[in-house]
Amino acid sequence: DIQMTQSPSSLSASVGDRVTITCRASQSIVSYLNWYQQKPGKAPKLLIYTASSLQSGVPSRFSGSGSGTDFTLTISSLQPEDFATYYCQQSYTVPDSFGQGTKVEIK
Amino acid sequence: QVTLKESGPALVKPTQTLTLTCTLSGFSVTTSGMRVSWIRQPPGKALEWLARIDWDGDKFYSTSLKTRLTISKDTSKNQVVLTMTNMDPVDTATYYCARATTRANWFDPWGQGTLVTVSS
């Protein structure tokens, strides 16, 4: 099975900050990496698919990059509604797997 | 509009079998390329993928849970059903179903989730 490791597990940031979250796969997953945002009590929401494609309706301050084993989610200017937990997920092969999540908190 | 909705018991006892239903709307589980997965999330913890069923009947399971899981589809009701045997308190979680396709192999949309508590 492919293991997904996110870092950091949590971070504190201010509105307007640039935020970067990393995700590493235990083997190459090419570009089959997706990012989700989850707010308390809600289902996850797709942000980025295949590493760098922005889901329709998602603000352009979100971007993704990477290939192979190392990937990054970047929020260029953090907004109040972005405080949430973010998960990466590989869809290269079954069983699918998620990272452990990164909680973005208000500084 | 594509939606999924989970249903099932809110409380089960240890050793019992859990049966959850995902009712699909706006698409058919038998349409070529469709995939429906179950994913769970214990309170305060990360997401865990459990199982998937494809339009053609192919089934896939979590390596660690495959002996306890069965996924199936009821095409007449456009539903996907997950059963999990021998429930334990550590299985307490919110259970989600979500759609993917062969051309769009990411989870979108998700159901609202259903919280299942395992307790005697």
Side-chain angles (χ1 to χ4, degrees), chain A residues 96, chain B residues 2-6 21-25 27-31 33-39 49-56 58-60 71-73 78-82 96-102 105-107 109 111:
Chain A
D96 292 58
Chain B
V2 172
T3 63
L4 304 90
K5 187 172 184 179
E6 306 88 349
T21 300
C22 177
T23 300
L24 316 178
S25 180
F27 74 101
S28 171
V29 69
T30 60
T31 299
M34 291 298 164
R35 299 173 167 176
V36 175
S37 284
W38 284 94
I39 298 147
W49 181 85
L50 300 176
R52 187 183 98 195
I53 191 163
D54 293 352
W55 83 100
D56 59 359
D58 280 351
K59 303 172 184 180
F60 306 88
I71 192 169
S72 61
K73 54 185 168 79
N78 206 25
Q79 294 175 332
V80 172
V81 177
L82 182 75
Y96 297 98
C97 55
R99 189 190 79 159
T101 72
T102 52
N105 194 21
W106 45 84
F107 301 125

